[in-house]
Structure formats: C-alpha cells, structure tokens
Amino acid sequence: MQQKKQLSLFDLSMIVVSLVIGMGVFRTPVNVAAKAQIPELFYLAWFIGGFVAFCGALTYAEIGSRFPVTGGYYKIFSSAYHPSIAFAINCIVIISSAASVAAISIIGAEYLSKIILPVDKQTETYRVAIAIITILTFYFINLFGLKASSKTQNVLTVVKIGMILMLICAVFFGGQTQTVTPIFKTAAGALPTWSDYGKALGLCLIAVSFSYAGYAQTINFGGEVKEAKKVIPRAIIIGLTIIVMLYLAINYVYVKVIGFEALKSAESIAAILASKIFGPAGFNALSVIIFFSVMGYVNVNLLSNPRAMFAMGEEGALPKIFSRMNRKTEVITISLTVFTLIAVVIIFYAKTFDKILNYTIFLESISMGQFGCHNFHPSKKNSKS
C-alpha cells in the first residue's frame, strides 16, 4: 500500500525541533558550566556542539534526500551494511527510546502533580497514573492518522519554542551581579595549559552532544514527505538552525541571570528564569513549560519509532504484522501499539526516573553513536522502494 505524502516543510521542521529539544536544555547547562569552569569554555562548547550537530544534520539531509523511505533509520543501515546490523541497532534505539519516553513522562508527571493534585495525593501511584495517561492520550491521537498527530506536534512544538523564548526574556528582568571572577583551576594547582583547556572542553561536549542529539530519526519519515528530495534537507537544516539559536540564547541568559559561578551548582535553572518573570508563581509556570516539553517528546517518539518497526516488518526482520497499515487512516497500528505498550510496561514496573535511567543508560549510550554512510549507494535498493 502506497503511503500518502502528507508532511510539509513546516511539519518536518517542527518534528526535527521536537526530536532534539527535550529536557536537556533545562538541566545539562549546569554540568557544562561545572566542567568548563570559565564562561569562555562554556560558550565555546555550546557553539562547537551546534557546529558538529549542523555537520551531522547536513549528512542526514543528504542521506534522507537520496533515500526517502518510511523507516529510513532501519532501511539505510540494511542497505549500507547488513540487515542483521540494522536489526540490532534499531532494536537498541527502539527500546532506549521507549525507556526515554517512560522516564520523561514520569518527570512531567512529577511537575504536573504538584499543580493539579493536593499534597496527600502527590504519590508515586498518582505520578505513574499521570505518566501512563499522558502516553495513552497521544497514542489515541496517533490512531487518527499522520495528519492529526503531525498537526498536534506542530502546536506542541510552537508552544515549546514560545516558552523557551519567554524564558530567554528573563534577561530583561535583571541579572546577577558577578561578584566572583571565574578562574580555571587545574588538579595540580598550576597555571592551566592548552591541554587542560582541551580536556575540559571535551568533558563539556559530552553533555552538550546529548542535548543536540535526536535529529537522526527525521529520516524515518522520508516516505511520507511531500517533495522529499527537497523538503527533507531543508527541514533538517531549518530545524537545526532554530535549535542552535535557541540553545545559544538561553545559555547566555542562564549565565547573565543566574551568574556563572552559581550556575555550576544550581538546581531547577529554568525555574530561576521563570521566577524572574512571574515571581512566586514561577514554579507553576515552569511546571507548565516542562509538561509541554514532555508532551512534545512523547508524541514525536510515537510518530518516529513505530516507523522503524514498520520498516523492519516490511523487510522481514520483524514479523510481517508490524508492517500492517490501516487502509483508511494509514496508521501503522501494530507497531504503534507495541511501542506504546513497551513504554507503559516500563513505567508500570520501574515507576521512577532513577530506576529507568539505571536500566537503560547503557542502551542509550550505544544508540547515541552516529553512523557514516560514505559507502552507501542508494541505487542498489532504491528501485524496490
């Protein structure tokens, strides 16, 4: 069954933004500041991370334009290397993505429960229930078809971008007076060398890289994009441009408003910015921001990962039932349902963010590895697609 080309340039650009901007921008700057020790290295790390991500985006833009198929993250590995390698890598990605959806949903539930529930009901059981309801809500939205889920994603992403821009406006409400000049300290207490700066920068880039990751899964939508050969590269480039600009801007604001020394050990850095704008109501504003970020992340993963499972079913790496599509809505129902169930089961049994993190961090680290397809020749299999 030939899929309709439903995704526009704007739709795919918003998907790129949501695949990358999750919770990292509200937490990793603390780690980066602590490792950098001085503002110059801090800004340089975010700039280099953005540049590297942009180079990666150009690579995926080229790959996606040459091989625009549904479930491209599986099919490209299968074509370039071997179906067994593609199967192993995509299984890791799918499980770690489902675990990430579960973990992020629990974080969102923790924030939301503090607004909508009385203190005596802010328990683990209620947080698990809120997290599962959040995932199931977007599961049912996705059952209506790509058009409905992509429009929902557009709204969530635009709101998320608007909320980050709102936090950036905290810089206009006054910043911290820098009373202490940040100094780069070495382990031996000697004057730092270029090697010391290089090591610190490398440590910074670990956290920065995690914050910029995720755009690779954009190629899973290749078969459903209008004028894919033109739109996929443009969408990836537009999406990464928005992300880099937002990251650089909000990190500048973190330093100006919180102060660089305070940023090294700060907690709830987004809450500090929100309190600058909204005063005592800042925590409620932050909770809404976090929950919208969670909703966008959940929905975009329910959009992306089942498409990789669809491709695996199509090529026989998974049972053919995984490639079954609803003729009316064109929803990959079985793959979507299985991915949702994996996330729900993880929440039900793990129940806390820390447990999920402990069990899945190894898989997540593997799935973060980027691939190069310099030996890939789409003409070998593209004729079948």
Side-chain angles (χ1 to χ4, degrees):
M1 179 178 173
Q2 188 67 35
Q3 292 170 293
K4 292 179 185 174
K5 309 291 185 181
Q6 300 183 61
L7 294 175
S8 66
L9 175 62
F10 180 76
D11 296 332
L12 198 60
S13 299
M14 293 300 97
I15 286 172
V16 174
V17 173
S18 275
L19 283 169
V20 177
I21 301 180
M23 301 296 296
V25 71
F26 306 125
R27 181 64 181 86
T28 51
V30 175
N31 305 75
V32 179
K35 300 296 183 185
Q37 299 192 54
I38 54 176
E40 291 82 0
L41 272 183
F42 176 79
Y43 292 130
L44 182 61
W46 286 103
F47 178 80
I48 291 175
F51 176 76
V52 171
F54 213 90
C55 291
L58 291 174
T59 302
Y60 279 98
E62 178 68 18
I63 294 168
S65 66
R66 290 190 182 190
F67 201 37
V69 292
T70 300
Y73 203 80
Y74 169 81
K75 289 194 174 181
I76 287 167
F77 271 112
S78 179
S79 297
Y81 302 110
H82 192 274
S84 61
I85 296 174
F87 176 77
I89 291 174
N90 276 265
C91 282
I92 291 171
V93 170
I94 288 165
I95 297 300
S96 64
S97 294
S100 296
V101 166
I104 297 300
S105 296
I106 288 174
I107 292 177
E110 288 174 356
Y111 277 93
L112 188 65
S113 64
K114 292 177 182 178
I115 297 179
I116 65 173
L117 296 178
V119 177
D120 61 313
K121 292 187 177 179
Q122 293 175 21
T123 63
E124 184 180 273
T125 302
Y126 280 94
R127 288 195 293 269
V128 167
I130 291 172
I132 291 175
I133 289 170
T134 301
I135 293 174
L136 291 179
T137 298
F138 288 103
Y139 166 72
F140 287 114
I141 289 173
N142 276 266
L143 286 178
F144 285 102
L146 181 59
K147 192 159 189 148
S149 49
S150 66
K151 297 306 177 190
T152 301
Q153 190 63 45
N154 290 346
V155 172
L156 292 173
T157 308
V158 168
V159 171
K160 183 191 296 188
I161 291 171
M163 288 180 169
I164 294 174
L165 290 173
M166 178 194 68
L167 290 178
I168 291 170
C169 290
V171 75
F172 301 114
F173 290 79
Q176 285 284 346
T177 303
Q178 302 288 342
T179 56
V180 180
T181 302
I183 299 173
F184 191 94
K185 298 176 183 177
T186 62
L191 289 174
T193 63
W194 285 108
S195 175
D196 294 318
Y197 288 130
K199 289 176 183 176
L201 181 61
L203 291 172
C204 292
L205 287 172
I206 294 173
V208 170
S209 296
F210 272 90
S211 297
Y212 276 115
Y215 56 83
Q217 290 201 48
T218 307
I219 58 176
N220 278 334
F221 300 92
E224 298 158 284
V225 178
K226 300 172 184 175
E227 299 183 78
K229 292 186 183 297
K230 292 181 180 178
V231 168
I232 291 176
R234 291 175 184 174
I236 293 177
I237 292 169
I238 291 171
L240 256 293
T241 301
I242 293 171
I243 292 159
V244 171
M245 290 174 66
L246 288 176
Y247 276 11
L248 293 178
I250 198 167
N251 279 290
Y252 173 80
V253 175
Y254 284 143
V255 173
K256 288 298 177 183
V257 173
I258 299 172
F260 190 75
E261 285 300 317
L263 180 61
K264 294 178 183 179
S265 57
E267 294 182 1
S268 301
I269 52 178
I272 298 173
L273 300 190
S275 65
K276 278 283 182 180
I277 302 170
F278 299 102
F283 181 80
N284 287 347
L286 171 71
S287 298
V288 173
I289 291 169
I290 295 294
F291 194 65
F292 264 100
S293 187
V294 165
M295 289 193 292
Y297 185 81
V298 169
N299 191 56
V300 80
N301 272 277
L302 291 179
L303 275 167
S304 175
N305 287 281
R307 282 165 169 76
M309 297 168 73
F310 167 83
M312 293 164 78
E314 218 178 21
E315 291 198 357
L318 287 176
K320 288 290 184 182
I321 194 171
F322 282 88
S323 63
R324 187 171 295 174
M325 187 185 300
N326 184 299
R327 290 188 174 276
K328 184 178 179 181
T329 61
E330 294 192 356
V331 174
I332 310 161
T333 311
I334 301 298
S335 293
L336 174 63
T337 303
V338 170
F339 181 79
T340 303
L341 284 175
I342 294 171
V344 169
V345 168
I346 290 172
I347 291 177
F348 187 77
Y349 283 102
K351 290 184 171 61
T352 66
F353 175 81
D354 290 335
K355 280 186 181 178
I356 295 171
L357 189 65
N358 290 339
Y359 290 135
T360 61
I361 189 63
F362 178 69
L363 289 178
E364 184 66 22
S365 298
I366 296 173
S367 72
M368 287 296 297
Q370 301 298 312
F371 68 98
C373 290
H374 56 278
N375 291 323
F376 171 56
H377 299 288
S379 59
K380 291 180 181 179
K381 287 195 176 183
N382 201 26
S383 59
K384 296 182 182 180
S385 302

